[in-house]
Amino acid sequence: MTTALSSVSRRTRAALIGLSVLLGAALAGCSGSSTAPPAHAGGGEANLSLPDLDQATFLGMVSGKQLLGIGLLIALAGLAFGIVRFVQVKRLPVHTAMREVSELIYETCKAYLIQQGKFLLVLWAFIGAVILVYFKFLAGLSWGRVAIVLAFSIVGMAGSYSIAWFGIRLNTYANSRTAFAALRGRPLALHQIPMKSGMSIGMVLISVELFMMLSIMLFLPAEIAGSCFIGFAIGESLGASALRIAGGIFTKIADIGSDLMKIVFKIKEDDARNPGVIADCAGDNAGDSVGPSADGFETYGVTGVALVTFILLAVHEPLVQVQLLCWIFFVRAIMVLASAASYEVNNVITIAKYRNLREMDFERPLTNLVWITSIASIFATYLTSYLLIADLGDGTLWWKLATIVSCGTLAGALIPELVKVFTSTNSVHAEEVVKSSHQGGASLNILSGLVAGNFSAFWLGAAIIALMGASFLISSLGLGALMVAPAVFAFGLVAFGFLGMGPVTIAVDSYGPVTDNAQSVYELSVIEEQPGVAEEIHADYGFTPHWGRAKMLLEANDGAGNTFKATAKPVLIGTAVVGATTMIFSIIMGLTHGMTANLDKLSLLHAPFLLGLITGGAIIYWFTGASIQAVTTGSFRAVEFIKNSIKLDGDARASVEDSRKVVEICTQYAQKGMLNIFLGIFFAALAFAFVEPYFFIGYLISIALFGLYQAIFMANAGGAWDNAKKIVETDLAAKGTELHDASVIGDTVGDPYKDTSSVALNPVIKFTTLFGLLAVELAVSLNAQGNHVLTWSLAAVFFVALCVMVWRSFYGMLIDREMLTADDFAEPSGDDEPPVEVVADDELPPAIGNGSNSGPQAVMVGIRRDTYDV
C-alpha cells in the first residue's frame, strides 16, 4: 500500500512540475514584445510629497495644519474614551472561579500571540528584502529614505499586532464579567459589558490609526510623506494578513475539534472535561478578536493611504490637494466623535427600555446603534463638508462629495441588515436550514446553508453595485474639472464612508467573541458544583444566583453575537474591494504616465490583461482550498488527540496539560498553513508583476472581484449554519438529538467558511494590491534598464516558488495516516475465526450447559469464551 501511494505521489508530483513549466512558459509569452516600456520614474508612490498644508484656510481663520491639529486632539480624545471603558470593564465584579478560567484563556492567547509575533518578523524579512532591493538599488533612493520606508513598515505591522493584543486582553476581561453578570438573571448587563468592551476596542483602534496618519502629515517633512505612508500601509497589511490567516485556521481547528465531541461522546457544549474547550476559547479570541482588530486597523489605514495617493497623483492643483486632504482627515475625526456620541445615546435608550425587563432581544440594541451611528455620521459629513469646502470648485462640490461619502456610510448600515436576512436566528434562511435538517439530516442542512450563501452573494453584490453606481453618477457632475478619473476617487470615498463608522463596526464585531467566551467561561468554571457557592455569592455580591436562567441568557446573547460577527465581514470585504480600485488606479497612473499612454492595454483585446483577469480567480480558489485544508488536517489531529485523552469519569475538568496540547496542535497547523498561504500570495504577486504589468493589473482586478463574491458567499453560508445550530440548541432545546447532530455537522462545515477563508480574503486582497505597488515598480524598472531576460527569468523563478507553496498547501498538509482498506470494514468470516477454546461445562452459564452443573460434563464444541463474556 505504501509503495503504491509513493508511486502515485511521484506521478502526481511529476505532472504538477510539468504543468508548472508549461504555465511558466505561457506566462512568459504574455510579456509580448521585448521592447522596453516607456521610462518610469523610480520610487513611485514613495517619492510623493505633501503640498504645503498652510496654503489653504478653513472657516476663514484656521490653516490646514491647525485643522488637522484639532483632528489630532480628537484622536487623542477617542483613545482616552477607549482606555476609560477598558478600565471600567476590568473593574466589574467577577467570581474567582470565572476569573481563573478567563486568565487561563488569556495566558493561552498570550503564548499564541508571542509565537505569532516572532513569526511576523520572519515574514517581514521577505517584504523588507524586496523594499531594500527596489528602493535602494533600482529606484536609487538614499539610505535614509529606504530606512524610513522600512521603519514605517515595522510601525504599521506593530500597530496591527498591538491592537490585536489590546483586543485579546480586553475580551478576556469582559468574558468572565459577562458570565458572572448572567447569574443575576437580568439581560441588560449581558448586553452592556460586551458592548462596552467592543466600543473600547473600536475607539482605540480607529483613534490610534488616525493619530499615526495625522502625525505623519503634521510632524514629518513633506517630502518623505509618501515613503512613510507606503511603508506604513505595507506593514499593517502584512500584520493583518498573517494574523487573520493564522487566527482563522487556529480558531476553527479548535472549534471543530471541540464541537465534534458533542456528537462522539454526547456531552454538553463547553463541557469542562473536554480538553478542546480551552483551545476553542483561545481560538475565539485568536480568530474573532485578533483577526478583526488587526484587519480593521489595516483596512482603515490602507483606505486612507489609497485616497492620499490618489489625490497627490490625480489632482494637479496644489491648493485643491490641500483642501481635499484636510477635508478627508477632518471628516474622519468628526466621525469618531459621532460614533462615541451615538454609543452614549443608544446606551441611554437601551437602559431606559430594558432596565427592569427579564427578557431582551439582544440584536435590537446592536441594530439601533448601527443605524443611529450611520445617521449621525451622514449628518456630520454634510455639515463638516459645508463648513470646510463650500467654496471648492463651482460651489456645489461640497454636497456632491458628502453624498458620495454618505453612500458608503449608508452601506455600513444597510449591509448588516441584508446579512441578517441570511444569518440571524430570526431569519427565514436559518429556519430553512433547521427544517431541512429535521428530515434530511446533515446532508440537507449543508445544502440549505449553501443556498443561503449563494443568495446572499447576489443581494449584497447588488447593494454594493447600486451604491457604487450612485457614487459614479454623482462623480460625473463636475468632479472631472478637478482631477483625472473622478469615478475612481468616488469609489475610494465610498470605501472611506464604509469605514466612517469604524468604531461601531468593530464594536459590534467584537461583541461576538465576548458572548461566545462567556458561555464557555460559565461551563469551565463548574461554579454550580462548588459547595456553598450560592451563599458565598449572596454574602459577597448581594444577590442569589439564577443558574438555569443564566445559561439561557448566555445562549441567547451568543446568538446575537453570531449574527453581528457575520455583519462586519461583508463590510470589511466590501471596503477592501472598493478601496482596491483606488490603489490599482495608482499603479495605472504610473504605467500610463497620468492616463496619457498605453490605455489600449487596459482592454480585453490586450491578451495579457485578459489572462490576468482569469488568473486571479484561480488564486482565490486555491487560497480558499488551502486555508480549509489546513483546518481539516489540524482538526483531524485535534480530534484524534481529544478522543484519546478525554476522561469522562472522575475529574470534573480536563487537565491543563491536555488543554495545552490541543493548543499546540492548533498553533502548529495554523502557522504551517499560514506560511504556505502567505508565501504563495507573496510569490504570486512577484511572479505576475514580473510577467507583464497589464497582466498584473488584470490579476489585481480579478482577485478583488472573485474575492468579493467568494467571501460573501462563504461568510453568510457559515453564519446561516451557525445560527441554525443556535436555534436547535436554544429555541428548540433539542441538544443531544439527531437534529442537533446534523446542525453541529453543518456548523463544522461553516466554521472554516465564515471564520477562516472568507475573512482572510480581505487583507489578502489589500496586501496583494499594496505589495503590487512595489512589485510592478520593480519589474518596470528592470525592463526600463533593458533587463528583459532577467525580468522573465525572475518571473519564472517566482512562479515555480508559487507552485511549490501551492503543492505544500495540500500535499504537504495531507493527513499522515495510511488509507483505510476493505479489511478494516470486513465482517469476520468463519475461516478467520480464532481457534476454539475448549471449556468445561461447569464454566458455562446454565443456559448453555446441559442443565446440570454437578461435576465435569462432556465438552461442547464450537462455543468460544468470548461468545458469552459479551
Side-chain angles (χ1 to χ4, degrees), residues 218-266:
L218 289 173
F219 303 128
L220 296 177
E223 62 272 14
I224 68 170
S227 303
C228 297
F229 277 129
I230 293 300
F232 181 70
I234 290 175
E236 61 183 352
S237 187
L238 165 64
S241 299
L243 291 171
R244 256 300 196 188
I245 295 170
I249 296 171
F250 182 106
T251 184
K252 292 305 108 179
I253 293 173
D255 198 357
I256 293 172
S258 179
D259 274 357
L260 288 179
M261 295 306 103
K262 293 187 287 188
I263 298 175
V264 174
F265 294 110
K266 295 298 181 183

Side-chain angles (χ1 to χ4, degrees), residues 629-662:
Q629 177 63 38
V631 171
T632 302
T633 305
S635 298
F636 176 92
R637 291 294 308 279
V639 168
E640 182 181 54
F641 174 79
I642 294 170
K643 288 172 69 175
N644 290 333
S645 63
I646 192 169
K647 299 177 180 64
L648 300 180
D649 297 322
D651 294 339
R653 64 177 70 182
S655 69
V656 174
E657 290 74 19
D658 285 347
S659 296
R660 284 177 176 164
K661 179 60 179 177
V662 180

Side-chain angles (χ1 to χ4, degrees), residues 685-723:
L686 287 172
F688 300 145
F690 276 57
V691 164
E692 206 258 13
Y694 297 94
F695 178 97
F696 189 59
I697 296 294
Y699 169 70
L700 293 179
I701 294 171
S702 180
I703 64 167
L705 295 180
F706 275 91
L708 171 67
Y709 287 102
Q710 182 79 332
I712 292 175
F713 155 68
M714 298 183 84
N716 291 330
W721 282 314
D722 195 359
N723 268 345

Side-chain angles (χ1 to χ4, degrees), residues 440-455:
S443 177
L444 294 189
N445 175 288
I446 292 169
L447 290 176
S448 294
L450 294 175
V451 169
N454 281 302
F455 270 108

